[in-house]
Amino acid sequence: MSCCDLAAAGQLGKAGIMASDCEPALNQAESRNPTLERYLGALREAKNDSEQFAALLLVTKAVKAGDIDAKTRRRIFDAVGFTFPNRLLTTKEAPDGCPDHVLRALGVALLACFCSDPELAAHPQVLNKIPILSTFLTARGDPDDAARRSMIDDTYQCLTAVAGTPRGPRHLIAGGTVSALCQAYLGHGYGFDQALALLVGLLAAAETQCWKEAEPDLLAVLRGLSEDFQKAEDASKFELCQLLPIFLPPTTVPSECLRDLQAGLARILGSKLSSWQRNPALKLAARLAHACGSDWIPVGNSGSKFLALLVNLACVEVRLALEETGTEVKEDVVTACYALMELGIQECTRCEQSLLKEPQKVQLVSIMKEAIGAVIHYLLQVGPEKQKEPFVFASVRILGAWLAEETSSLRKEVCQLLPFLVRYAKTLYEEAEEANDLSQQVATLAISPTTPGPTWPGDALRLLLPGWCHLTVEDGPREILIKEGAPSLLCKYFLQQWELTSPGHDTSVLPDSVEIGLQTCCHIFLNLVVTAPGLIKRDACFTSLMNTLMTSLPSLVQQHGRLLLAANVATLGLLMARLLSTSPALQGTPASRGFFAAAILFLSQSHVARATPGSDQAVLVLSPDYEGIWADLQELWFLGMQAFTGCVPLLPWLAPAALRSRWPQELLQLLASVSPNSVKPEMVAAYQGVLVELARANRLCREAMRLQAGEETASHYRMAALEQCLSEP
């Protein structure tokens, strides 16, 4: 058979490509070409390669491209099988006068024809050809050779068909196809556009696996696309805006790419554009904000102007979309604008190394306030049937980010919305799985077909906690939250989240947001203890909360790296114990004794004595575990000392328990060992408060303090109340 005949036989693959749009019934095809059945029989009965070649040529000549339907292709496969294409793909000897790739081209053409059948595309005999097919994408050869181009087209058809099967992307990634596609695209040879399209599909289907298997090659593609984007002067830059988010890695984006992307976006967004040109740019900027925060924006005047422009454009887009009643909202664009507003909020509240100057911050806060007003306006119109929509979740998220930093403005509107927010948070809390799914849908809606870098919190309540913490300090908002049942919801939420940190759960895999959420809940409860003590006494949910705090603190104070959470739990428990002192659970039960012993451990270990060179007396300093977080811890510590002091006269068993722990003796010993000048007045007052109440509550405590030279120490520190108490019988 001549080389030309082989090329003609290869057109069978082309017939398969075109036939996907037209699939007439087999009997109709045969009625138009009655010899097809005879040629298929010859193909089945072929005894060697030459006869198979000849039969393939006859089938090709007997059938027009548009006449090969799915059933006919399957019958050709039944006649040929995989053995013959396998030999064609692996042979290294071509007939005289033919290029060495002609046989492989015919083998690929046959596979392309077979892969038109989804069942065959997932066949093991096709899947094990993936490594061979991938090498064809980067093989060198004459770029003008029609047979070679045909083979490349057929190869892409095979790989695309495999990618469309349920497990196809995984097999392609394992077979090295991602790297081959990257190299094919970067080489800009024939079919490089098909390589890019297939890469997009694989990243959409299995982003993490793609980056794990081919990170260097994918980064090379990203560098190329970023450079093209920075240089583009025509409409291609808008197409690249849509393409680039898909190629941003789940880890660090190379700095040279960030420079090119920022420069390209600055040029686009600084021009007068229509919405179809501007929106992809805003979505790319939002994707970068998720992946990198503000690190991709240069420091200096140009960077601050660019960030201000981004936030300004985002706010305008939000207002235009949400203030007009009846207007169809482009939810993906508005959600991307939310991400840019959140970046603006972060930069406006950053005290050090902010990209923005103070006048810019003032201006942007005013602009964002108007946009947040539009968000509130939208949420007030959301009915129950829309509460599970991803865009509502995204809108609540940006409102939560705003309320975390600013509650004084828009107070009337926020109070009007609070009942909806409580109901919304309760709905998603009770359907936690759907809330997690909503979070993922928001990520998809806002950015790209792939998951953004930082994971968005999976429940609405966590988004609202910081804002509610501020609002519970104010009388009006607090009364609304209490009326709508927020405290009970927060107790349930706290107990649920606490379960994730309990023994039996791997806390090392928990996101930081869980512990931060627990701390914020504690702050809200602290506010309620101070401002609404009657609520703590009458609502049964706080009794359950108190029981959890008592049983949890003993193990929590022993866990390394969780001191701040332990401080929150200890302080909250001590303050609640004052209000619930008549509860049976606090009458010297094992749980209550364990809790107060753990609280004493937290309060007593904050400071130690440290020797100073050249001095006979040591000084009082923070212990190592407390030193690094004292700025966040000290208010809780002082509040805890005050609360413990208040519990002593209310719980008769507490003073003897403190004495058995040796805390009063060791505290006096510590004070006696350090210079009084090293102890700040507020520390002296806190220590005196505890020692005085213990001494007043229990005779044995007074005697133990006297034996520890308590009167002398009190005199040195001018603790008049303690000195007087210890001088009494």
Side-chain angles (χ1 to χ4, degrees):
M1 180 173 290
S2 70
C3 185
C4 293
D5 288 339
L6 288 172
Q11 293 304 307
L12 186 60
K14 304 281 93 55
I17 296 171
M18 297 175 63
S20 61
D21 297 327
C22 181
E23 295 191 353
L26 180 61
N27 59 354
Q28 292 176 331
E30 290 177 355
S31 67
R32 290 196 300 269
N33 195 338
T35 60
L36 175 61
E37 186 67 24
R38 187 169 68 254
Y39 291 159
L40 286 173
L43 187 58
R44 285 192 297 270
E45 295 170 3
K47 297 181 174 59
N48 52 49
D49 289 350
S50 296
E51 291 183 5
Q52 281 192 313
F53 275 133
L56 279 172
L57 178 61
L58 291 172
V59 170
T60 303
K61 291 180 178 180
V63 189
K64 295 180 180 180
D67 289 336
I68 295 186
D69 61 12
K71 292 182 179 179
T72 305
R73 282 195 297 271
R74 188 59 186 241
R75 294 183 68 186
I76 294 172
F77 165 74
D78 291 339
V80 177
F82 280 114
T83 303
F84 183 47
N86 288 349
R87 292 208 307 274
L88 291 173
L89 289 173
T90 56
T91 185
K92 296 182 180 179
E93 296 182 2
D96 293 340
C98 289
D100 58 2
H101 63 270
V102 168
L103 294 180
R104 292 195 295 274
L106 178 57
V108 177
L110 286 170
L111 281 184
C113 178
F114 298 159
C115 285
S116 300
D117 183 335
E119 185 178 342
L120 292 179
H123 195 284
Q125 286 287 348
V126 171
L127 299 179
N128 65 23
K129 304 299 181 301
I130 289 174
I132 298 174
L133 293 172
S134 297
T135 63
F136 295 163
L137 300 179
T138 56
R140 295 183 178 181
D142 182 0
D144 297 324
D145 187 324
R148 183 175 294 279
R149 290 191 170 203
S150 177
M151 183 176 74
I152 292 174
D153 286 335
D154 288 336
T155 300
Y156 281 119
Q157 182 178 347
C158 292
L159 297 175
T160 301
V162 172
T165 63
R167 302 173 70 87
R170 188 185 71 173
H171 290 290
L172 291 174
I173 294 167
T177 302
V178 176
S179 291
L181 290 170
C182 291
Q183 294 166 26
Y185 173 75
L186 292 170
H188 276 66
Y190 179 77
F192 78 97
D193 53 338
Q194 298 181 71
L196 188 63
L198 188 49
L199 272 175
V200 169
L202 290 176
L203 283 167
E207 179 191 35
T208 302
Q209 293 85 345
C210 286
W211 281 100
K212 182 178 179 181
E213 291 294 327
E215 181 174 347
D217 295 300
L218 285 169
L219 287 177
V221 172
L222 175 61
R223 289 187 183 95
L225 292 172
S226 301
E227 187 175 347
D228 291 344
F229 179 62
Q230 193 271 335
K231 294 178 179 178
E233 298 290 346
D234 55 11
S236 65
K237 60 187 175 184
F238 304 115
E239 297 173 2
L240 286 167
C241 277
Q242 297 176 315
L243 190 62
L244 278 162
I246 301 170
F247 285 88
L248 292 179
T251 54
T252 305
V253 181
S255 58
E256 64 271 24
C257 295
L258 293 178
R259 285 194 299 270
D260 287 340
L261 293 173
Q262 189 276 330
L265 281 171
R267 202 162 54 247
I268 290 176
L269 294 173
S271 306
K272 189 174 182 180
L273 303 171
S274 60
S275 59
W276 73 267
Q277 295 170 321
R278 181 177 58 253
N279 291 346
L282 290 173
K283 292 172 72 173
L284 173 58
R287 180 67 173 88
L288 288 168
H290 271 294
C292 312
S294 61
D295 293 343
W296 61 287
I297 301 175
V299 177
N301 190 49
S302 63
S304 64
K305 286 184 177 179
F306 174 71
L307 177 57
L309 174 65
L310 268 183
V311 178
N312 206 329
L313 289 173
C315 290
V316 170
E317 193 70 35
V318 168
R319 291 189 64 189
L320 288 174
L322 302 184
E323 287 182 348
E324 295 291 334
T325 305
T327 303
E328 182 180 356
V329 177
K330 295 179 180 177
E331 296 180 349
D332 57 339
V333 177
V334 176
T335 309
C337 291
Y338 287 165
L340 297 176
M341 287 175 59
E342 192 164 344
L343 179 62
I345 293 171
Q346 292 169 359
E347 286 300 314
C348 284
T349 55
R350 181 179 294 181
C351 298
E352 298 179 359
Q353 298 182 333
S354 174
L355 292 172
L356 299 169
K357 301 174 183 177
E358 284 305 314
Q360 291 174 315
K361 290 182 178 181
V362 172
Q363 183 183 22
L364 285 183
V365 167
S366 177
I367 294 170
M368 287 191 288
K369 175 184 172 182
E370 294 174 347
I372 292 297
V375 174
I376 294 175
H377 171 75
Y378 165 76
L379 289 174
L380 284 170
Q381 302 174 65
V382 172
E385 72 282 357
K386 287 189 174 183
Q387 287 193 10
K388 297 179 183 178
E389 292 184 2
F391 183 66
V392 176
F393 187 90
S395 301
V396 170
R397 174 185 168 87
I398 187 58
L399 178 61
W402 173 265
L403 292 177
E405 306 294 344
E406 173 58 60
T407 57
S408 59
S409 60
L410 299 171
R411 184 174 302 178
K412 179 181 178 182
E413 293 83 351
V414 170
C415 288
Q416 189 179 359
L417 186 64
L418 277 178
F420 164 80
L421 293 177
V422 175
R423 291 193 300 270
Y424 181 76
K426 183 178 181 181
T427 298
L428 265 63
Y429 166 75
E430 292 174 347
E431 302 175 17
E433 291 185 3
E434 291 192 29
N436 283 320
D437 183 56
L438 270 180
S439 175
Q440 199 62 33
Q441 290 182 55
V442 170
T444 302
L445 176 70
I447 309 302
S448 70
T450 57
T451 305
T455 303
W456 287 19
D459 61 80
L461 193 51
R462 191 177 301 160
L463 306 176
L464 297 168
L465 288 177
W468 287 7
C469 187
H470 298 314
L471 292 170
T472 48
V473 177
E474 304 176 25
D475 292 340
R478 182 177 63 251
E479 290 175 5
I480 297 173
L481 288 170
I482 292 174
K483 179 181 178 182
E484 296 296 329
S488 176
L489 173 62
L490 288 168
C491 284
K492 293 177 183 177
Y493 178 78
F494 181 90
L495 297 177
Q496 180 212 53
Q497 294 292 294
W498 191 264
E499 280 296 312
L500 299 176
T501 68
S502 61
H505 291 79
D506 185 3
T507 57
S508 64
V509 301
L510 287 178
D512 292 340
S513 57
V514 172
E515 189 147 322
I516 293 172
L518 288 170
Q519 292 177 24
T520 310
C521 280
C522 287
H523 295 166
I524 295 174
F525 295 141
L526 286 170
N527 290 341
L528 293 175
V529 167
V530 174
T531 60
L535 174 70
I536 308 299
K537 293 178 179 180
R538 68 174 180 267
D539 198 321
C541 70
F542 287 101
T543 301
S544 299
L545 176 62
M546 185 70 213
N547 290 335
T548 298
L549 298 179
M550 288 195 299
T551 57
S552 302
L553 186 62
S555 63
L556 184 61
V557 294
Q558 305 290 342
Q559 297 176 29
H560 180 71
R562 307 189 74 191
L563 181 57
L564 193 55
L565 180 59
N568 277 278
V569 170
T571 304
L572 175 61
L574 289 169
L575 285 168
M576 290 180 62
R578 288 197 310 182
L579 299 176
L580 302 175
S581 59
T582 58
S583 168
L586 285 164
Q587 307 310 310
T589 61
S592 63
R593 290 180 180 275
F595 169 78
F596 276 94
I600 289 173
L601 194 63
F602 159 65
L603 295 171
S604 65
Q605 292 186 339
S606 61
H607 291 76
V608 294
R610 186 198 307 173
T612 55
S615 175
D616 295 336
Q617 277 192 309
V619 294
L620 189 72
V621 297
L622 287 165
S623 60
D625 288 342
Y626 289 66
E627 188 174 12
I629 58 173
W630 187 246
D632 299 318
L633 199 64
Q634 61 176 334
E635 186 177 353
L636 290 168
W637 186 87
F638 280 107
L639 195 57
M641 291 287 286
Q642 182 182 352
F644 185 92
T645 300
C647 287
V648 173
L650 299 174
L651 301 172
W653 60 269
L654 184 53
L659 182 63
R660 285 192 296 272
S661 74
R662 294 194 54 79
W663 184 27
Q665 301 97 307
E666 291 174 356
L667 179 52
L668 287 169
Q669 184 179 359
L670 175 65
L671 291 173
S673 67
V674 301
S675 168
N677 293 332
S678 68
V679 186
K680 296 179 180 179
E682 60 267 27
M683 294 292 300
V684 174
Y687 286 146
Q688 179 176 222
V690 169
L691 291 170
V692 166
E693 286 301 331
L694 289 173
R696 287 174 178 170
N698 186 269
R699 178 181 58 82
L700 294 178
C701 279
R702 290 194 297 275
E703 293 178 359
M705 290 182 196
R706 292 191 189 107
L707 291 174
Q708 198 63 50
E711 290 180 83
E712 182 180 350
T713 300
S715 176
H716 286 160
Y717 283 89
R718 298 181 180 179
M719 296 180 178
L722 178 60
E723 191 174 6
Q724 180 180 353
C725 183
L726 293 180
S727 66
E728 297 173 356

